[in-house]
């Protein structure tokens, strides 16, 4: 996508990876940058919709401190199980959880992310507490899932996808409103009888105060490159779907996300700091 943006904008596009603190380090750096349209971040919506409820000291205001350039793609999460779980799908897993509440646990790639709260929502829906096991990344969680240390993992679809092809783990549900095209035989949570629907998205953001004409230039380039069939295919291979949204629509999506996550985070009792 960045190569395509370079062509569309007719200028260099430089990637500067800033890992750490669940995207918060990079986000705060963008917040402090000049509002000239030259410093942007490609990030998922979690720091802008969920973290405001789970962190006391974010260091930024998710609404006032940023300019939304546009949405890039949609994505959902997956429920994957390993050999510790019973054969079958969500129905069999839920029956097993109810029969073995002391063994009912799930892992995700980090504390305070969507996977943790999706698990607590599933737990609430069936009335059985489940233990949350935080990992420092998806790979360690996946290793324990395949090894039978935990029965279930909730994370991005891409995380367990390759291992599921080898049969070491199984993806038994996804969290979106509809089934994924790449996993047509995997039902959604709602199809499985759990009234939980969670969809996430990737967006491009800049610091507050970027001039309107600059925003229009950037979002116009973004919209143009996302029409590319090649780029759409590449995004699809990452278990996402290309989905442009304007700055205004991205702001509405963010507002809806902020409202959506307040209740589940509060109900879980979780606070990161």
């Amino acid at each position: 996508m960045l190569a395509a943006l370079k062509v569309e904008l007719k200028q260099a596009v430089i990637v500067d990876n800033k890992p750490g603190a669940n995207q918060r380090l990079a986000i705060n750096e963008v917040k402090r940058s000049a509002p000239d349209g030259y410093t942007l971040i490609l990030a998922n919506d979690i720091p802008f919709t969920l973290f405001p409820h789970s962190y006391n000291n974010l260091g930024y205001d998710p609404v006032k401190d940023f300019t939304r350039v546009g949405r890039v793609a949609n994505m959902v999460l997956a429920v994957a199980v390993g050999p510790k779980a019973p054969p079958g799908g969500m129905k069999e897993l839920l029956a097993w959880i109810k029969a073995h509440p002391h063994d009912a646990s799930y892992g995700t790639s980090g504390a305070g992310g969507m996977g943790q709260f999706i698990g607590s929502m599933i737990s609430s829906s069936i009335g059985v507490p489940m233990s949350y096991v935080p990992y420092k990344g998806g790979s360690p969680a996946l290793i324990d899932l395949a090894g039978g240390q935990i029965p279930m993992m909730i994370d991005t679809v891409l995380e367990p996808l390759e291992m599921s092809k080898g049969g070491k783990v199984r993806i038994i549900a996804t969290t979106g409103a509809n089934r994924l095209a790449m996993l047509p035989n995997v039902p959604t949570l709602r199809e499985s009888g759990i009234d939980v629907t969670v969809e996430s998205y990737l967006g491009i953001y800049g610091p507050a105060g970027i001039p309107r004409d600059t925003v229009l230039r950037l979002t116009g380039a973004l919209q143009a490159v996302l029409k590319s069939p090649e780029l759409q295919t590449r995004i699809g291979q990452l278990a996402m779907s290309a989905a442009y949204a304007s700055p205004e629509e991205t702001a509405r999506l963010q507002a809806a996300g902020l409202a959506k996550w307040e209740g589940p985070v509060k109900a879980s009792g979780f606070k990161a700091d």
Side-chain angles (χ1 to χ4, degrees):
M1 185 180 77
L2 296 177
L5 278 174
K6 177 180 177 180
V7 173
E8 190 68 29
L9 292 169
K10 298 181 176 62
Q11 66 182 65
V13 177
I14 300 170
V15 179
D16 184 10
N17 290 314
K18 295 282 185 181
N22 288 326
Q23 305 178 85
R24 289 180 291 142
L25 292 180
I27 287 169
N28 273 297
E29 186 165 323
V30 170
K31 169 197 165 182
R32 294 188 295 267
S33 64
D36 52 17
Y38 286 102
T39 303
L40 305 169
I41 186 169
L42 175 66
N44 62 43
D45 60 312
I46 296 174
F48 301 97
T49 58
L50 193 155
F51 286 174
H53 303 300
S54 59
Y55 284 86
N56 290 320
N57 301 299
L58 275 179
Y60 61 85
D61 184 302
V63 177
K64 296 178 181 178
D65 288 340
F66 300 95
T67 298
R68 282 142 286 277
V69 174
R71 181 183 61 185
V72 173
N74 283 329
M75 55 186 166
V76 300
L77 276 70
V79 177
V81 296
K84 188 173 183 178
M90 282 299 302
K91 180 179 179 181
E92 289 75 16
L93 176 65
L94 296 180
W96 180 86
I97 288 171
K98 291 175 181 178
H100 304 84
H102 296 296
D103 294 322
S105 64
Y106 65 99
T108 76
S109 57
M114 283 187 179
Q116 176 180 349
F117 301 113
I118 290 171
S120 67
M121 291 161 74
I122 294 173
S123 179
S124 295
S125 73
I126 62 174
V128 179
M130 291 193 292
S131 301
Y132 168 60
V133 185
Y135 287 85
K136 293 182 178 180
S139 294
L142 192 58
I143 290 170
D144 274 6
L145 181 71
Q149 280 73 46
I150 54 173
M152 175 171 57
M153 174 181 175
I154 305 173
D155 214 306
T156 65
V157 173
L158 197 61
E159 196 67 60
L161 187 60
E162 285 304 314
M163 199 173 281
S164 72
K165 294 176 182 177
K168 294 182 179 180
V169 303
R170 294 180 293 116
I171 298 174
I172 61 171
T174 54
T175 65
N178 301 296
R179 296 189 183 194
L180 280 180
M182 70 186 318
L183 296 172
N185 296 321
V186 176
T188 65
L189 284 175
R190 182 159 287 177
E191 286 180 292
S192 304
I194 300 172
D195 190 19
V196 173
T197 300
V198 174
E199 296 181 344
S200 185
Y201 60 88
L202 282 178
I204 294 181
Y205 306 81
I210 297 177
R212 179 64 177 170
D213 59 342
T214 302
V215 174
L216 291 176
R217 177 171 174 262
L218 291 169
T219 194
L222 178 62
Q223 184 176 19
V225 301
L226 286 174
K227 292 178 180 178
S228 163
E230 292 80 12
L231 183 56
Q232 292 176 10
T233 298
R234 176 59 182 149
I235 290 174
Q237 291 169 344
L238 298 174
M240 296 183 287
S241 58
Y244 169 78
S246 69
E248 293 77 16
E249 179 59 24
T250 304
R252 286 192 287 271
L253 288 168
Q254 181 180 338
L258 274 166
K260 177 184 179 71
W261 285 112
E262 182 177 9
V265 174
K266 186 177 292 184
S268 75
F270 176 84
K271 274 293 180 182
D273 55 17

